[in-house]
Amino acid sequence: MLYNSTQNAKEVVSAAQAIAQGISKDGGLFVPQEFPKYDENTFKALLKTDYKGRAKKVFSDFLSDFTEEEISDCVEKAYTAQKFGGENPAPISYCNLDGTTLNILELWHGPTCAFKDMALQILPHFLTRAVRKTGEQKKSVILVATSGDTGKAAMAGFSDVPDTEVIVFYPHGGVSDAQRLQMTTQRGNNVHAVAVEGNFDDAQTGVKLLFGKAELAAELKEQGCAFSSANSINWGRLVPQIVYYFSAYADAVEKGRIQNGTEIVFSVPTGNFGDILAGYYAKLMGLPVKKFICASNSNNVLTDFINTGTYDRNREFHRTISPSMDILVSSNLERLLYEKTEHNSEKINEWMDALQEKGAYSIGRDIQDAVVSDFFGAWIDEIETQETISDVFNNYGYVLDPHSAVAYKALQKYRLMTSDETYGIVLSTASPFKFSDVVLRALYPDDYEGKVLTAFEAMDELSQKARIDIPQGLKELRGLPERESDIVAPGEMEKEVKKILAID
Ligand SMILES: *Cc1c(COP(=O)(O)O)cnc(C)c1O
């Protein structure tokens, strides 16, 4: 299987090249030339095997320049029961109330308690092998922009991986206490967290600019280094996310919750459009999905886009209680549009230029119709998110984190507005303990009014009151020494990278 750039149809690379490079030289994103199609027999085979078996099947179809042994080795090392707390790294929780069910796909059992682990535990294995296959470079310098969860997951995944250096940029003051602590306590001489004065979009734009600097690339090359990415712009981040859509479907069939072949809906808390795009790719491969609910918080640029066909980032940026979705420029939308325009890279260029120059573009009625045939957009405000956390706990005894609450409520809105009662699965992207303070105040508003809690106090209180255990990955942060992050302006990111890499 070969890959093109969304912004240049003539650019053709292998999977290993796509993963090693992270982003195309023209600024476009790598996309498969075509998608494998899974027929009934493939589904039957997927049903019979476990998560690892399903992952191996999907990876062997997309990463055709990796050997079976290499893929198997990557999968066995990444999805261990020890790292993911059980044999199935992505289990579904089924909660019942008066005949209604709540189906929660829990994607946060990995070491950093957010769904980013599903991809970032395996990306280092893919990347080191990809570099060996393609690379002249000795060392990969992995630049990461994070809205909170990718940073830690990348640092944990790459910590002390030979020949890699990870530099994470996170919005100063824009992440939860637990998220910040996770990054600043991470051990490993090759991983660095830097705070950027600005929001996630500033960090992401800054990183993309660094990728585009020819001089900087030349300087790195002299040192035997090359940039790569651990953000979902990297194909190696997306392909592992396709697996859990198939696996969740297969698990629901296996449990007798749905019949094989039945269409279902997935509700996905969305920021950079990576998670939900992986689901759409699964649909292109044959997974029976009626709709993807694209769930946003008050940064509702995607909801408006789906409803109007105009993407307009010229709007107020909100810092919300679901900070990992505080994003106004969703990078992976470009990949969806590439599919919906039947691989029209000229159109993509035009729109991405307009986004850069005017902050907005319109895709026209036909393409919008094509988007709406697969996606429903809904956004949930702060009060509704808090109410949802509380309602779901009171009704089902289940504690949702704020991002997952947004997705749950968006599914309810979808049902209300369309009267469609199709079986739905809500993707849960983080453990509630990553956002203990917010969750605690949503559940017990009166108890904490005016009280200030440290991240660990909030975790303890939540654990006691809701009677659930604090995940190991967060418990063990207590008492670890914090490394102070440098704080830089977006314009100083290049200087910071050079400082960390010790190049003048
Ligand atoms: C990253 C993240 C999201 C958004 O996922 P995208 O792939 O960026 O759309 C949602 N929830 C949590 C907890 C996250 O960490």
Side-chain angles (χ1 to χ4, degrees):
M1 171 161 321
L2 293 170
Y3 294 77
N4 291 128
S5 159
T6 48
Q7 296 192 20
N8 178 4
K10 295 203 187 79
E11 178 82 4
V12 183
V13 301
S14 68
Q17 273 173 294
I19 292 172
Q21 250 172 272
I23 186 167
S24 176
K25 288 190 284 285
D26 47 63
L29 309 184
F30 290 120
V31 276
Q33 286 186 333
E34 61 196 338
F35 286 87
K37 295 283 185 292
Y38 288 2
D39 60 14
E40 224 181 296
N41 287 332
T42 320
F43 272 96
K44 279 193 188 134
L46 288 180
L47 273 174
K48 283 205 197 97
T49 179
D50 60 0
Y51 194 89
K52 285 182 190 164
R54 293 163 188 164
K56 286 175 196 172
K57 167 65 183 152
V58 171
F59 297 156
S60 64
D61 289 328
F62 283 105
L63 313 180
S64 50
D65 51 346
F66 285 60
T67 65
E68 293 293 321
E69 292 72 38
E70 285 176 315
I71 286 174
S72 182
D73 189 45
C74 292
V75 168
E76 294 297 337
K77 284 187 172 133
Y79 299 117
T80 64
Q82 193 221 347
K83 282 181 181 156
F84 283 87
E87 284 305 324
N88 186 351
I92 304 178
S93 252
Y94 304 95
C95 310
N96 291 296
L97 172 82
D98 306 335
T100 67
T101 63
L102 170 66
N103 314 308
I104 306 279
L105 176 57
E106 296 176 347
L107 299 172
W108 41 261
H109 290 284
T112 79
C113 310
F115 92 100
K116 304 295 198 289
D117 289 326
M118 298 303 300
L120 280 162
Q121 281 297 311
I122 199 159
L123 183 66
H125 300 293
F126 285 161
L127 188 83
T128 45
R129 281 168 184 78
V131 167
R132 237 177 274 149
K133 284 178 199 297
T134 59
E136 314 89 65
Q137 81 248 38
K138 292 198 298 281
K139 182 184 253 185
S140 297
V141 178
I142 297 146
L143 298 182
V144 181
T146 184
S147 56
D149 293 321
T150 297
K152 168 67 179 184
M155 292 170 87
F158 282 97
S159 171
D160 289 330
V161 172
D163 302 323
T164 65
E165 202 78 32
V166 175
I167 307 175
V168 172
F169 294 97
Y170 68 90
H172 184 47
V175 300
S176 82
D177 282 349
Q179 287 176 318
R180 197 199 66 250
L181 273 170
Q182 280 189 310
M183 289 187 276
T184 55
T185 57
Q186 174 64 47
R187 274 172 278 205
N189 289 324
N190 65 330
V191 295
H192 317 268
V194 181
V196 176
E197 286 161 348
N199 57 38
F200 169 75
D201 291 314
D202 297 316
Q204 174 158 265
T205 305
V207 164
K208 279 195 185 158
L209 281 175
L210 292 178
F211 277 119
K213 289 201 167 153
E215 274 167 51
L216 184 60
E219 280 180 74
L220 282 173
K221 202 168 173 192
E222 264 174 42
Q223 313 277 324
C225 300
F227 281 141
S228 189
S229 167
N231 282 103
S232 53
I233 55 176
N234 192 326
W235 177 248
R237 263 286 300 276
L238 281 185
V239 71
Q241 297 180 181
I242 296 173
V243 177
Y244 50 73
Y245 286 92
F246 281 106
S247 190
Y249 190 90
D251 286 346
V253 170
E254 220 178 13
K255 280 253 164 27
R257 304 262 166 177
I258 50 171
Q259 269 193 333
N260 199 5
T262 317
E263 281 196 324
I264 66 169
V265 303
F266 284 104
S267 186
V268 188
T270 297
N272 230 351
F273 211 77
D275 198 4
I276 197 168
L277 179 78
Y280 171 71
Y281 284 161
K283 181 175 180 179
L284 291 182
M285 294 161 69
L287 189 69
V289 182
K290 183 167 184 185
K291 249 348 164 219
F292 292 97
I293 318 301
C294 177
S296 300
N297 63 25
S298 320
N299 295 295
N300 54 3
V301 58
L302 285 167
T303 318
D304 288 348
F305 169 72
I306 293 168
N307 292 336
T308 66
T310 296
Y311 195 96
D312 189 354
R313 64 153 302 176
N314 301 306
R315 60 181 70 211
E316 199 185 331
F317 175 87
H318 299 280
R319 280 199 171 167
T320 72
I321 55 173
S322 45
S324 304
M325 305 196 294
D326 291 349
I327 293 177
L328 290 180
V329 182
S330 297
S331 295
N332 280 295
L333 198 57
E334 182 173 340
R335 282 184 163 121
L336 174 68
L337 295 175
Y338 186 76
E339 295 307 317
K340 291 298 186 188
T341 58
E342 277 147 22
H343 302 185
N344 187 340
S345 50
E346 282 95 45
K347 268 267 167 268
I348 304 296
N349 263 306
E350 203 181 287
W351 292 334
M352 293 306 123
D353 287 347
L355 180 64
Q356 211 157 42
E357 280 151 30
K358 297 189 285 257
Y361 62 91
S362 295
I363 57 173
R365 190 57 198 267
D366 291 350
I367 308 292
Q368 189 209 345
D369 284 348
V371 170
V372 167
S373 69
D374 292 306
F375 296 90
F376 178 91
W379 72 280
I380 309 301
D381 70 23
E382 300 286 272
I383 307 269
E384 284 176 300
T385 307
Q386 289 166 327
E387 282 170 359
T388 303
I389 294 171
S390 170
D391 288 351
V392 168
F393 184 62
N394 292 332
N395 292 333
Y396 297 95
Y398 189 90
V399 185
L400 289 170
D401 95 283
H403 305 77
S404 313
V406 165
Y408 171 78
K409 187 71 182 176
L411 177 61
Q412 283 199 317
K413 279 203 175 165
Y414 167 77
R415 288 185 169 153
L416 209 65
M417 288 174 72
T418 62
S419 304
D420 180 19
E421 293 291 327
T422 300
Y423 189 88
I425 294 180
V426 175
L427 272 66
S428 176
T429 47
S431 155
F433 284 103
K434 278 196 110 157
F435 307 94
S436 302
D437 198 82
V438 167
V439 173
L440 202 56
R441 287 171 207 274
L443 295 180
Y444 311 99
D446 299 337
D447 296 7
Y448 296 99
E449 224 189 294
K451 275 193 203 155
V452 179
L453 300 172
T454 67
F456 296 113
E457 284 166 352
M459 282 183 218
D460 287 338
E461 294 274 315
L462 181 60
S463 174
Q464 276 161 24
K465 289 205 161 157
R467 303 207 188 136
I468 43 176
D469 291 334
I470 305 174
Q472 191 54 33
L474 291 171
K475 219 192 274 182
E476 70 194 16
L477 295 181
R478 211 177 295 239
L480 288 183
E482 251 197 276
R483 294 199 270 194
E484 206 158 319
S485 302
D486 284 348
I487 305 171
V488 303
E492 296 168 342
M493 286 167 63
E494 180 174 355
K495 210 170 80 195
E496 184 70 12
V497 168
K498 286 184 172 173
K499 184 179 126 189
I500 289 168
L501 299 176
I503 36 181
D504 302 309

